[in-house]
Structures are given as C-alpha cells and as structure tokens.
C-alpha cells in the first residue's frame, strides 16, 4: 500500500464523547438542584461545580457507575475510583476495551478539579491510503495497525511490543489494545484514535510511505 499521513494531533479532550444529555443526567446523579432547568450552554460549567462538592474518588465513582455499570461491578468501580486519582488508568487498566471510556471519564474529572487527576492524552491520526492493491480495510484493526506501523520509528512502543504480530509471523490479536475508534469519512481516508501512551505524533517519521501488509497464515 501507499499511505499518506494527513494529520497527527495530540488531544486531551474529545468533544464528541459527552453530550448535553450526559451532562444533564450527571447533574442529577450529583444531586444538583433543578438540573432540568439548566440551559444547555451552562450544563458543563454547572456539572463542574457539582462535581467539586464531592471528594475526587466519590465523584469518580459516580461517573464510573453512570458510564460503565454494565461492564464493571461495584467492587471494580470502587477500586478504579481510588486508583485513578494517582494512576493513569486509561493506560494501565488490564482490560484495553475500557481505555477509551476511562480516558474520557478521567479527563472530565481532571478538568473539573483543575488537576488532582493525572492528565492523560490521546492521539488522532488522519491518513489516506493512496493505493491499496485491492485490499478491503473497512474497520479491520489488524490491517489498520499494520498500515499505521509503517509511519512509526523503531523506538515506538507499538513496534517494540508487537513486532512479530506486525510482521505476521504470529496471529495479531492485540490491535484492540491501542486502536480506540475508527472513522472512515471518505473513501480511503481514515481517522484513528489512540492513546498517546501507545502512539505519539513524535513517533511518526514519515508522511508518505509504502507498507507491505502481510496476513498471518496458520500452518
């Protein structure tokens, strides 16, 4: 494939994750009086005020319960709510599928408390597959990981940890660990969101490159 990196951006907040409906619902969870009467443009500011009346781990527990109670039990939520005041759980939690949600929860709390919680960052990669040799990519994380790897220097964490998988000498089962979301706004153009922990814009050494994508074959 021939690939062109269009943009690599560091983000500490994702505008699309939290909706006004989320803010309004969370105001009620934080017992904010007359939450239904708060205007949309004031919801976030009022939520930050409501959050600041609680201890950081209590606020974390409320938001984790609101967002992840269908995936985490009470004990797990209690543990994470205490850990995230000191640790970057969006990078360290053993279940990678939750990192995207934990990032957004952490950053909401980080901004509400003007610190207290660690500041975690994400990386948005926008690229175009100029020539694909007929390969259908879609939302295949394995192929996308191999395409992205072509732009990274050899010191990058992805290349160091997943070298055998990227080269297809073993089955690639870890792409979900670092590829959070995928958007395909136009034909052959992709927006991939990941953690800065996995890929930073400083890891990218080329904007135009060729990459050979091989598939693992069972013997």
């Amino acid at each position: 494939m021939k690939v062109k990196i269009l943009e690599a951006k560091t983000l500490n907040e994702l505008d699309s994750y939290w909706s006004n409906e989320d803010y309004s619902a969370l105001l009620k969870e934080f017992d904010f009086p007359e939450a239904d009467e708060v205007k949309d443009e004031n919801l976030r500011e009022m939520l930050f005020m409501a959050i600041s009346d609680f201890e950081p781990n209590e606020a974390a527990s409320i938001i984790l319960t609101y967002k992840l109670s269908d995936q985490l039990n009470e004990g797990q939520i209690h543990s994470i709510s205490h850990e995230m005041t000191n640790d970057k759980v969006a990078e360290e939690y053993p279940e990678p599928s939750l990192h995207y949600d934990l990032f957004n929860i952490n950053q909401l709390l980080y901004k509400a408390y003007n610190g207290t919680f660690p500041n975690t960052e994400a990386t948005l990669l926008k690229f175009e597959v100029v020539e694909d040799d007929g390969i259908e990519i879609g939302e295949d994380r394995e192929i996308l990981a191999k395409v992205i790897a072509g732009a990274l220097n050899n010191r990058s964490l992805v290349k160091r940890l997943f070298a055998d998988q990227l080269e297809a000498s073993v089955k690639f089962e870890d792409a979900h660990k670092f590829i959070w979301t995928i958007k395909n706004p136009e034909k052959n153009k992709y927006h991939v969101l990941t953690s800065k922990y996995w890929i930073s814009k400083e890891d990218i050494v080329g904007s135009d490159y060729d990459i050979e994508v091989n598939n693992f074959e069972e013997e």
Side-chain angles (χ1 to χ4, degrees), residues 7-59:
E7 185 178 12
K9 182 188 295 186
T10 302
L11 304 172
N12 63 15
E13 185 177 25
L14 305 178
D15 294 336
S16 60
Y17 185 83
W18 298 103
S19 66
N20 285 336
E21 288 75 17
D22 287 321
Y23 292 145
S24 181
L26 281 169
L27 277 174
K28 295 172 186 174
E29 295 294 328
F30 282 95
D31 298 322
F32 190 84
E34 300 176 341
D36 288 329
E37 297 180 16
V38 179
K39 294 181 179 178
D40 286 354
E41 59 268 25
N42 298 326
L43 282 169
R44 183 179 163 95
E45 181 183 353
M46 292 297 104
L47 177 58
F48 283 1
M49 287 177 57
I51 288 173
S52 64
D53 286 337
F54 288 72
E55 290 297 318
N57 64 290
E58 293 175 334

Side-chain angles (χ1 to χ4, degrees), residues 141-174:
R141 279 171 164 74
E142 176 179 350
I143 296 177
L144 286 168
K146 292 174 180 177
V147 169
I148 292 168
L152 305 179
N153 64 49
N154 290 328
R155 299 185 306 277
S156 71
L157 188 59
V158 167
K159 276 198 168 180
R160 287 189 285 117
L161 286 186
F162 307 123
D164 291 341
Q165 296 185 51
L166 291 168
E167 293 169 3
S169 56
V170 298
K171 190 173 183 179
F172 205 143
E173 297 179 332
D174 292 316

Side-chain angles (χ1 to χ4, degrees), residues 87-208:
D87 301 327
K88 294 187 175 184
V89 294
E91 298 173 0
E92 300 168 5
Y93 193 69
E95 180 47 66
S97 64
L98 296 179
H99 286 187
Y100 174 64
D101 294 297
L102 291 171
F103 166 81
N104 287 283
I105 292 168
N106 183 91
Q107 290 309 97
L108 184 70
L109 290 160
Y110 172 80
K111 291 180 180 296
Y113 284 103
N114 290 315
T116 301
F117 290 79
N119 183 29
T120 56
E121 294 179 307
T123 300
L124 176 63
L125 292 175
K126 297 182 180 181
F127 58 92
E128 179 179 8
V129 178
V130 182
E131 293 181 19
D132 61 13
D133 201 26
I135 297 174
E136 291 290 334
I137 299 176
E139 295 192 2
D140 189 316
R141 279 171 164 74
E142 176 179 350
I143 296 177
L144 286 168
K146 292 174 180 177
V147 169
I148 292 168
L152 305 179
N153 64 49
N154 290 328
R155 299 185 306 277
S156 71
L157 188 59
V158 167
K159 276 198 168 180
R160 287 189 285 117
L161 286 186
F162 307 123
D164 291 341
Q165 296 185 51
L166 291 168
E167 293 169 3
S169 56
V170 298
K171 190 173 183 179
F172 205 143
E173 297 179 332
D174 292 316
H176 70 288
K177 290 185 177 180
F178 59 92
I179 294 182
W180 286 352
T181 65
I182 303 159
K183 292 184 179 179
N184 183 200
E186 299 178 43
K187 182 177 173 59
N188 295 330
K189 290 187 177 180
Y190 299 87
H191 297 176
V192 170
L193 190 68
T194 182
S195 169
K196 185 182 176 183
Y197 169 78
W198 287 106
I199 300 174
S200 72
K201 62 183 182 181
E202 289 75 24
D203 290 331
I204 297 171
V205 292
S207 57
D208 294 272

